[in-house]
Amino acid sequence: MVDFSYRRPDGPWDSKPRWSLRVELRTLSRVVGFLALVAFIAVATINYDRWSRSAAAVPEKPSSVVPHSLLTRFSAVDGDSLRRGNEDFRLVGIDAPELSQRCLQDGREWACGRAAHERLKQLVARGDVQCAAQGRDRYGRTLARCSAGGTDIGETLVHEGLAVDFMQGGYARQERDARIARRGIWTGEFDLPQEHRRGSPPRAQR
């Protein structure tokens, strides 16, 4: 404690201090500590603001997440069915040979069902596949007419002799042209896909 006393005009130093100033080290240390904390927070805030602005200026690394558009591309299930995600599509107006179906050409069997499947895979691999839904079938598949790159997929398959016009689906002319030109399944004998599914006796087609 530091005492400051003053001398009375008519006598010696006053025994009682009229004004005293106490400086305690504990209080002083608290004040110094508080000021240091305030200074630390201020410096940290300034540095964080500078770091945030510099980090924002650095380009982000390319994301490793696969874009949604890639996850939902169409894939070929067989010669006349597609899949996108968890949804199956049945191409309207055509009927392609079943995957296990084989056809005859010059007395020899060939995997016409697999050929139709491979061709459909090639068509959808081009990208830009658009489908116009027309309801659902009894299996829960979406019935649709689909195009790839602006070209009707069903029309292409029928024209190349890898599918037939089904239930007056609108591809009668393409089927007739393929039959005359003897393309695909029209090169020899085959079962109509619907007859193959039923297990009916083979039907010669020329």
Side-chain angles (χ1 to χ4, degrees):
M1 179 180 68
V2 178
D3 293 337
F4 294 93
S5 302
Y6 75 101
R7 184 173 181 175
R8 297 173 60 183
D10 56 345
W13 292 92
D14 193 350
S15 60
K16 293 183 179 181
R18 295 293 301 275
W19 177 52
S20 64
L21 174 64
R22 296 181 178 183
V23 179
E24 298 182 7
L25 292 178
R26 182 183 302 175
T27 303
L28 181 60
S29 64
R30 289 178 179 176
V31 172
V32 173
F34 175 76
L35 294 176
L37 178 62
V38 171
F40 174 80
I41 293 174
V43 172
T45 302
I46 294 173
N47 289 336
Y48 177 79
D49 181 67
R50 290 177 179 174
W51 175 84
S52 299
R53 284 181 290 180
S54 62
V58 177
E60 295 184 358
K61 294 182 179 180
S63 175
S64 60
V65 178
V66 179
H68 182 69
S69 58
L70 297 182
L71 292 175
T72 56
R73 281 183 175 174
F74 285 88
S75 60
V77 177
D78 51 29
D80 51 27
S81 300
L82 299 174
R83 179 171 294 150
R84 182 182 62 184
N86 296 324
E87 186 176 6
D88 288 335
F89 294 78
R90 175 66 165 83
L91 296 178
V92 171
I94 72 170
D95 200 10
E98 299 297 313
L99 279 175
S100 61
Q101 189 170 343
R102 302 181 71 81
C103 302
L104 289 176
Q105 182 178 18
D106 298 328
R108 296 182 180 180
E109 289 189 347
W110 65 287
C112 52
R114 289 290 177 184
H117 182 215
E118 289 299 321
R119 182 58 176 139
L120 182 55
K121 286 199 296 186
Q122 293 175 2
L123 291 171
V124 298
R126 297 175 180 176
D128 190 24
V129 178
Q130 304 291 331
C131 290
Q134 298 183 9
R136 292 185 180 274
D137 64 9
R138 58 179 177 173
Y139 303 107
R141 297 176 298 185
T142 299
L143 298 171
R145 292 189 185 271
C146 300
S147 63
T151 301
D152 188 314
I153 294 175
E155 180 180 345
T156 300
L157 292 172
V158 175
H159 175 75
E160 295 180 0
L162 295 174
V164 297
D165 182 49
F166 186 59
M167 298 181 66
Q168 298 181 344
Y171 302 112
R173 180 178 59 81
Q174 288 79 9
E175 180 181 297
R176 183 179 64 254
D177 293 344
R179 185 171 186 170
I180 294 173
R182 301 191 65 179
R183 290 190 288 262
I185 56 179
W186 301 104
T187 58
E189 299 178 354
F190 68 96
D191 296 345
L192 287 172
Q194 57 183 332
E195 292 177 349
H196 179 81
R197 290 190 292 270
R198 296 170 186 164
S200 302
R203 175 183 176 182
Q205 303 288 331
R206 290 188 182 278

